[in-house]
Amino acid sequence: AFAFCAVVLGALAQNDSRKDGSANSSSANFKQTGTGALTRTVSSKLGDVVSVKDFGACGDGVCDDSTALIKAHNAICAAGGGTLNYPDGTYRINPHTASIPVCSHMHITGHGTVKVLDNVGDFEYIYGPALGAGGTLQDVAFRDLTIDENVLNNPSSNISKVCAGRPFTCYQWIFLFQGTTNAAVSGLTLENLTLLHSGTNYLNANGTGTSDIRVENVAATFVKRLAQSIFDNSAIYIDGGNIYVRNNSFGAYHNAVSDGATTAIEVHGG
């Protein structure tokens, strides 16, 4: 067992308290340590960091956190962008039911693990703009997460172009920014991620407007589903301008019927 202690560099000043002695965060003040720091209310300070747990995510590796994550992402989008934190924990999702929305000026960070639930069947992608959104997103970032497509525990999935009963395909991307499908992206950063991917690409970024794509320090392991037929895939597929891909690693999980990805990096446009 261990204890967790959070230390905040700053000072609290209680202006008001309730009869039970607890502080009222709307009137209690906070001042950051350092020259020039201004006094703010505690409630304002707490609003600096938005967590998926604020929207009901369990992160216990058991419950389905899909709805909570979608609500958290929608809230950031409604605010015009911001930073969303995934704290330590394992967040199980069902991308067969719905993908997790991404919008402009959204920065996703945290040391949590996002893992597809067992036996969910086919899906198109995990993160990306809504199907048919159109246009070009600006300033999107994912940092420090682990994302596991969990394909070995999803034997009913079928990674293919033609997918019965699905609105698009079953390529099972992790990140999809495709102008002809949902929306392109200008200014995308993937950094310090750990990915266990099984689909056609973990990143597919292409279409008119695609530019300024940065993929750095991403450790990707390709995991092929048991009995999955061979298919054409690359870990990274980008067709656009100003592409920066650096210090990434590519591996493959092997078992009796598994093999590696066809291509690690496929880029067009420069």
Side-chain angles (χ1 to χ4, degrees):
F2 62 90
F4 174 77
C5 179
V7 178
V8 178
L9 295 178
L12 287 173
Q14 185 173 316
N15 287 345
D16 185 25
S17 62
R18 299 183 177 90
K19 290 181 179 180
D20 63 3
S22 62
N24 181 349
S25 64
S26 64
S27 58
N29 291 330
F30 171 88
K31 187 173 183 179
Q32 183 67 48
T33 300
T35 302
L38 300 178
T39 299
R40 303 168 61 191
T41 64
V42 172
S43 60
S44 173
K45 177 63 177 176
L46 291 174
D48 288 350
V49 178
V50 181
S51 166
V52 294
K53 291 196 171 184
D54 295 334
F55 295 85
C58 302
D60 62 358
V62 178
C63 66
D64 183 351
D65 281 325
S66 301
T67 298
L69 298 190
I70 290 170
K71 286 181 179 179
H73 279 246
N74 282 337
I76 295 293
C77 293
T83 298
L84 179 62
N85 182 256
Y86 284 59
D88 286 342
T90 299
Y91 303 89
R92 304 302 298 271
I93 60 169
N94 185 351
H96 175 87
T97 302
S99 300
I100 301 174
V102 177
C103 59
S104 292
H105 312 300
M106 172 178 277
H107 292 193
I108 308 300
T109 187
H111 295 282
T113 295
V114 178
K115 186 174 183 179
V116 173
L117 286 160
D118 297 354
N119 300 309
V120 298
D122 296 316
F123 62 91
E124 288 83 33
Y125 59 95
I126 295 176
Y127 289 101
L131 290 173
T136 302
L137 271 60
Q138 308 284 335
D139 180 30
V140 177
F142 289 82
R143 293 184 174 92
D144 302 322
L145 293 175
T146 295
I147 302 174
D148 183 358
E149 291 196 289
N150 191 32
V151 72
L152 298 182
N153 292 310
N154 189 14
S156 61
S157 67
N158 179 31
I159 303 166
S160 67
K161 183 175 181 179
V162 179
C163 193
R166 304 301 296 164
F168 187 50
T169 67
C170 291
Y171 281 148
Q172 298 187 195
W173 296 288
I174 295 179
F175 306 104
L176 177 63
F177 300 92
Q178 182 170 276
T180 57
T181 303
N182 47 17
V185 63
S186 175
L188 171 67
T189 296
L190 304 181
E191 185 176 22
N192 299 328
L193 302 176
T194 300
L195 306 177
L196 299 172
H197 68 104
S198 54
T200 305
N201 325 108
Y202 75 69
L203 169 63
N204 183 345
N206 72 85
T208 302
T210 301
S211 66
D212 300 301
I213 310 298
R214 177 171 172 257
V215 183
E216 186 171 14
N217 297 324
V218 175
T221 300
F222 176 72
V223 185
K224 190 175 181 183
R225 183 178 65 81
L226 298 175
Q228 173 68 49
S229 58
I230 295 174
F231 57 94
D232 179 21
N233 71 305
S234 308
I236 298 171
Y237 180 91
I238 306 170
D239 188 350
N242 297 327
I243 301 167
Y244 183 90
V245 180
R246 181 185 179 197
N247 291 339
N248 300 286
S249 65
F250 305 88
Y253 173 87
H254 289 274
N255 54 44
V257 295
S258 185
D259 58 12
T262 304
T263 310
I265 305 170
E266 182 177 350
V267 297
H268 304 265

